[in-house]
Amino acid sequence: MDLMYTSTRSADIKVTASQAILKGLSPDGGLFVPEQFPTLEVSLPELAGMSYQETAYAVMKQFLTDYTEEELKECIRRAYDDKFDTEEIAPLTEAGGVHYLELFHGATIAFKDMALSILPYLMTTAAKKNHETREIVILTATSGDTGKAALAGFADVPGTRIIVFYPKNGVSPVQEKQMVTQKGANTCVIGIHGNFDDAQTGVKRLFSDKALEAELSSEGFCFSSANSINIGRLVPQIVYYVYAYGRLLSQGTLSVGDPMNVVVPTGNFGNILAAFYAKNMGLPIGKLICASNENKVLYDFFQTGVYDRNRDFILTSSPSMDILISSNLERLIYHACGKDAARNAALMRELTQKGRYEVTGDMAAAMCDFAGGYATEEQTAAEIRRVYEQCGYVLDTHTAVASSVYHTGFAEKSNGVPAVIASTASPYKFARSVMSAIDSRYQSMDDFALIDELHKIAGTKIPRAIEEIRTAPVLHDTVIEKEEMEAAVKRFLLR
Ligand SMILES: *Cc1c(COP(=O)(O)O)cnc(C)c1O
């Protein structure tokens, strides 16, 4: 029997995994969730000896049950290959008593590659399985990293087009250069005057616009999403937590059944939700520590039970976490209210109408494995400097938020449970902020000079993703108002 997916907002929606991936978002505006959590079939001792690709198959086959073994293994083989600069795919590095799970060894040097390397294969396989003949248009809002990773994944994939909206003044210079130099006739990159939430809200609105859907369908197009609202993003992200546990077992850091805590620098709540799914599959995870930057809406939520986005949006040195509406929290809320779609839908309506909602005591109790913390800009910079000076290891700004949160609020109380900190980006992607944190004398250098300096002090290879953009020509220069997103989509598709 196939595992079916339902919507967080209406109990009567039921689709297969491949249909959920193809659609991206449920037609009622909700997110697709599995009807139950499958359990991990491989035993924990077996994990210790498994490669990343083997672990990926063991995890993903439990969720994507309508894919055949051949289909899934082929998707995995094509995704996790030498696009990654290490055979381990997601290596664990110990520094200063914690384990950094390096999720940035893919083509665009951020953790989004972990899922977006495989999503195009899962999506095109899903299209075949469901006899979808229309061209799939991937609509994406990005806070900086999803955009490039999705572009790299979907560029020149037959039967697909991809449109990325990013906040014009809300991404790092390297992030922007990576996106606007993207090749591929099926790609479109557009800056908007607004922040990430504006981009994400605009994309969600396009998804639920029935008139637009009908018009584009008659022209042979259908929309899907590469954002972490797509379950096809979430499932591949469960894999690396399971893999990390296997590595800690094989190193002897853990004995079978011992818990590990995870610390995740969080924006849209996709990465940490994947850890929660891993835990529900039976992986021994203790605490799920949700680390925020100064946009600490999630910290306040875990502290008080009130989610309140009515506050100023702050641009920080960790732009991929500059988010006030964390889409994937909806999946946790749904779970916490006992899979009551109507109750979840009511809370989400409050969020849209008033910008806030409050959970009940029983819901808070269902989320008790989560803890929140946040780091200010000063704390983040100090953490980069501290880890570099004490260990010679250079963190990017996002990872530093998580590392700071862990060391200031949780390390002492950990009772010896090892911590795995999700290391979500290469420091090369945020070289200016990283180098300024280490020494203020770097502030006057240009972006590429800083990258060369970082190479000298860290002793790590400059990633291909950086070398590529040094001289690449700008191919996308459209910037629009946030009200013009629909017109921009039509211009690209119907030209
Ligand atoms: C996307 C991103 C995050 C936030 O991840 P979510 O799944 O949105 O919570 C953190 N760090 C980096 C570098 C990212 O690209």
Side-chain angles (χ1 to χ4, degrees):
M1 262 241 304
D2 277 327
L3 174 64
M4 299 301 282
Y5 288 76
T6 184
S7 165
T8 51
R9 298 193 192 175
S10 28
D12 51 359
I13 288 183
K14 222 182 243 210
V15 297
T16 61
S18 68
Q19 287 164 342
I21 288 173
L22 206 49
K23 284 189 180 2
L25 194 66
S26 173
D28 57 1
L31 308 188
F32 288 117
V33 281
E35 285 199 314
Q36 329 69 46
F37 286 117
T39 50
L40 208 52
E41 273 178 1
V42 291
S43 67
L44 296 177
E46 280 174 277
L47 281 181
M50 285 164 62
S51 69
Y52 193 86
Q53 292 81 353
E54 288 164 345
T55 311
Y57 180 67
V59 170
M60 292 174 61
K61 79 179 174 78
Q62 301 297 98
F63 279 93
L64 309 182
T65 59
D66 70 327
Y67 286 71
T68 65
E69 177 172 349
E70 292 65 40
E71 285 169 344
L72 202 49
K73 285 190 169 163
E74 177 68 3
C75 292
I76 290 168
R77 190 183 65 74
R78 294 173 72 176
Y80 303 111
D81 62 4
D82 60 10
K83 287 190 284 302
F84 287 77
D85 66 9
T86 162
E87 269 180 35
E88 290 175 89
I89 307 294
L92 266 184
T93 298
E94 212 239 277
V98 296
H99 302 270
Y100 293 96
L101 177 59
E102 295 184 357
L103 304 174
F104 55 76
H105 289 272
T108 75
I109 59 177
F111 97 94
K112 305 298 194 293
D113 290 323
M114 303 307 297
L116 285 163
S117 303
I118 194 164
L119 186 66
Y121 300 113
L122 295 176
M123 185 88 72
T124 47
T125 307
K128 271 195 217 108
K129 297 176 85 65
N130 291 284
H131 312 290
E132 177 58 72
T133 53
R134 290 171 297 178
E135 204 167 354
I136 301 167
V137 180
I138 305 295
L139 273 191
T140 297
T142 184
S143 56
D145 291 327
T146 290
K148 180 62 186 186
L151 287 162
F154 281 97
D156 293 324
V157 172
T160 71
R161 299 211 200 176
I162 172 158
I163 305 174
V164 170
F165 294 100
Y166 73 96
K168 174 67 189 161
N169 297 316
V171 301
S172 85
V174 171
Q175 287 178 316
E176 181 169 35
K177 187 89 194 279
Q178 279 187 304
M179 289 190 279
V180 299
T181 56
Q182 178 65 46
K183 294 183 204 144
N186 67 335
T187 66
C188 173
V189 179
I190 298 174
I192 65 163
H193 293 298
N195 60 38
F196 171 72
D197 286 330
D198 295 323
Q200 175 159 262
T201 304
V203 163
K204 282 192 183 165
R205 195 174 307 122
L206 293 176
F207 265 112
S208 52
D209 184 336
K210 298 279 181 260
L212 179 67
E213 183 184 331
E215 180 182 352
L216 292 181
S217 181
S218 70
E219 299 282 345
F221 297 107
C222 63
F223 284 143
S224 189
S225 168
N227 281 103
S228 54
I229 52 176
N230 193 319
I231 195 80
R233 270 279 298 275
L234 211 52
V235 170
Q237 292 178 182
I238 301 168
V239 174
Y240 44 76
Y241 292 105
V242 177
Y243 180 69
Y245 194 88
R247 298 277 66 70
L248 290 177
L249 281 179
S250 76
Q251 294 170 12
T253 307
L254 288 177
S255 301
V256 170
D258 288 349
M260 67 178 187
N261 292 330
V262 298
V263 192
V264 186
T266 296
N268 226 354
F269 210 74
N271 199 356
I272 196 165
L273 189 78
F276 178 71
Y277 276 32
K279 179 167 180 151
N280 280 281
M281 289 187 90
L283 193 72
I285 292 178
K287 282 268 169 232
L288 300 130
I289 300 166
C290 172
S292 299
N293 65 22
E294 290 181 2
N295 294 292
K296 60 183 184 56
V297 67
L298 288 165
Y299 166 78
D300 293 340
F301 172 68
F302 286 117
Q303 218 58 21
T304 64
V306 176
Y307 192 93
D308 190 353
R309 56 152 295 199
N310 299 306
R311 61 181 79 201
D312 288 336
F313 187 102
I314 302 167
L315 294 176
T316 72
S317 60
S318 45
S320 303
M321 298 159 66
D322 290 346
I323 294 176
L324 294 179
I325 307 172
S326 295
S327 290
N328 271 294
L329 187 64
E330 178 168 349
R331 287 188 165 110
L332 179 64
I333 296 291
Y334 170 80
H335 190 80
C337 58
K339 302 191 193 176
D340 183 338
R343 203 167 150 201
N344 173 67
L347 291 173
M348 295 305 129
R349 241 184 339 266
E350 274 185 57
L351 179 62
T352 309
Q353 288 162 3
K354 300 187 203 130
R356 93 193 268 289
Y357 60 83
E358 181 164 7
V359 299
T360 54
D362 61 316
M363 289 177 66
M367 298 186 281
C368 66
D369 292 333
F370 285 86
Y374 75 98
T376 63
E377 288 292 274
E378 291 70 34
Q379 287 174 313
T380 304
E383 182 67 358
I384 292 172
R385 195 163 52 244
R386 181 191 74 80
V387 175
Y388 173 66
E389 284 172 358
Q390 290 178 5
C391 315
Y393 184 60
V394 183
L395 303 178
D396 97 286
T397 46
H398 305 74
T399 310
V401 166
S403 190
S404 168
V405 162
Y406 183 72
H407 285 99
T408 52
F410 295 91
E412 270 181 20
K413 306 182 282 192
S414 71
N415 292 323
V417 176
V420 169
I421 298 181
S423 182
T424 50
S426 159
Y428 286 99
K429 204 159 186 175
F430 302 94
R432 174 160 305 279
S433 301
V434 167
M435 294 304 280
S436 310
I438 288 173
D439 194 328
S440 59
R441 77 192 161 89
Y442 292 119
Q443 259 155 15
S444 57
M445 291 187 182
D446 77 44
D447 289 321
F448 285 103
L450 282 172
I451 280 161
D452 293 332
E453 283 301 311
L454 174 54
H455 167 65
K456 278 188 213 146
I457 68 156
T460 49
K461 200 166 165 286
I462 299 177
R464 206 167 15 182
I466 295 289
E467 296 295 3
E468 271 168 12
I469 58 168
R470 275 187 203 260
T471 53
V474 171
L475 300 173
H476 306 266
D477 58 4
T478 308
V479 180
I480 62 169
E481 300 304 320
K482 62 188 185 215
E483 294 77 19
E484 297 168 343
M485 289 168 65
E486 176 174 343
V489 166
K490 287 192 190 167
R491 217 162 28 240
F492 176 61
L493 295 179
L494 307 178
R495 64 190 166 182

